[in-house]
Amino acid sequence: MTMDYKDTIRIAAVGDLHCPKTPDDVLRAVFKYANEEAEVLLLCGDLTDYGKPEEAVTLAKLLSDVRIPMLGVLGNHDYESGQPHDVERILCEAGLLILDGDFRILHDIGFVGAKGFAGGFGERALQPWGEDVLKHFVREAIDEALKLESALAKVQVSRRIVLMHYAPIAQTTYGEPPEIVPFLGSSRLEEALNRYPIVAAFHGHAHHGSLEGRTRDQVPIYNVALPLLQRMCPDRPPVRILEVPCLVAT
């Protein structure tokens, strides 16, 4: 048996929906476009604005017309009211599968999701030294990276696509005020990405960052925060579409 490339799988990705702060007509256009143009929809966190169940109910209604598989991760805003499990339950009932250190295989692609966390990048990343509160902060970043790496290790197909909320590299935060960059992501997430074959990774959170970057090992990273896509791509719906060759056995 050989494997030939035939056709493509189109992946739609967007994050930072901030429902209901973002107008309904914008979100409807996003979901309509993804439903018509892609085979899978990825939602990269901050799905609600204050993490309230009633916000999730509003978003669930808007998602009701989407017929393609939907995968997502939660973001920091989805935790704001201390009810992330209720938010997740409501969105799952609407057909959105929330990934939190786990994966789903669709179209022979392993989709791996984790929220991620902050802490900074490279040599300037925060280290677990000093007060207990700082150690706990860094521990959270490490735990999220380990969660991502564990899920990547379990995928038994050759291609992986990652979705997260926080940025794994500094490049896609360029454009943000330097003072807040350490709170936008963690290079500990990049370390996990570089250990496995990754087609691409998507994240949100950096509303004023840059659209694209690459890890040290040249994994493509796409910032799909909705406000960024609106600003940088004003002539089309704020959704990133990635075409992935579809493997077909012959």
Side-chain angles (χ1 to χ4, degrees), residues 10-186:
R10 290 168 60 85
I11 312 299
V14 61
D16 301 271
L17 305 179
H18 290 281
C19 182
K21 180 179 179 181
T22 302
D24 284 3
D25 60 334
V26 173
L27 295 180
R28 286 195 184 95
V30 164
F31 300 144
K32 182 176 186 293
Y33 183 74
N35 197 53
E36 293 174 351
E37 299 294 330
E39 281 75 49
V40 180
L41 172 60
L42 308 181
L43 299 179
C44 296
D46 281 2
L47 310 179
T48 60
D49 201 34
Y50 281 90
K52 296 179 179 180
E54 55 266 35
E55 295 177 335
V57 169
T58 299
L59 179 57
K61 292 176 181 178
L62 293 170
L63 290 171
S64 63
D65 291 332
V66 179
R67 296 292 177 259
I68 60 176
M70 298 181 289
L71 306 175
V73 296
L74 298 183
N76 55 305
H77 276 247
D78 302 312
Y79 281 76
E80 170 60 22
S81 294
Q83 302 177 81
H85 297 299
D86 289 333
V87 169
E88 178 177 347
R89 174 182 54 78
I90 292 165
L91 295 177
C92 284
E93 289 172 354
L96 174 63
L97 177 62
I98 298 295
L99 300 175
D100 183 22
D102 44 4
F103 68 93
R104 176 61 59 90
I105 296 176
L106 298 170
H107 303 289
D108 199 40
I109 299 170
F111 291 88
V112 179
K115 175 176 63 67
F117 197 59
F121 304 93
E123 295 179 354
R124 293 183 175 88
L126 189 63
Q127 299 301 314
W129 192 91
E131 296 94 328
D132 284 345
V133 66
L134 284 179
K135 293 175 181 177
H136 292 317
F137 188 97
V138 174
R139 183 73 247 176
E140 183 71 14
I142 293 171
D143 287 347
E144 283 292 316
L146 290 174
K147 185 187 295 184
L148 174 61
E149 183 168 355
S150 176
L152 286 167
K154 293 174 183 175
V155 175
Q156 297 300 307
V157 294
S158 61
R159 299 181 299 170
R160 299 164 176 84
I161 288 179
V162 175
L163 58 153
M164 62 191 82
H165 182 59
Y166 287 85
I169 59 172
Q171 281 177 277
T172 48
T173 71
Y174 293 167
E176 296 279 4
E179 295 83 359
I180 71 168
V181 167
F183 301 98
L184 297 177
S186 169

Side-chain angles (χ1 to χ4, degrees), residues 182-218:
F183 301 98
L184 297 177
S186 169
S187 54
R188 289 182 168 90
L189 298 166
E190 178 188 359
E191 294 169 11
L193 297 179
N194 283 329
R195 292 191 177 102
Y196 297 90
I198 308 293
V199 173
F202 298 93
H203 73 85
H205 198 38
H207 293 199
H208 300 281
S210 300
L211 290 172
E212 300 180 20
R214 287 182 178 268
T215 69
R216 182 191 67 247
D217 290 352
Q218 299 304 304

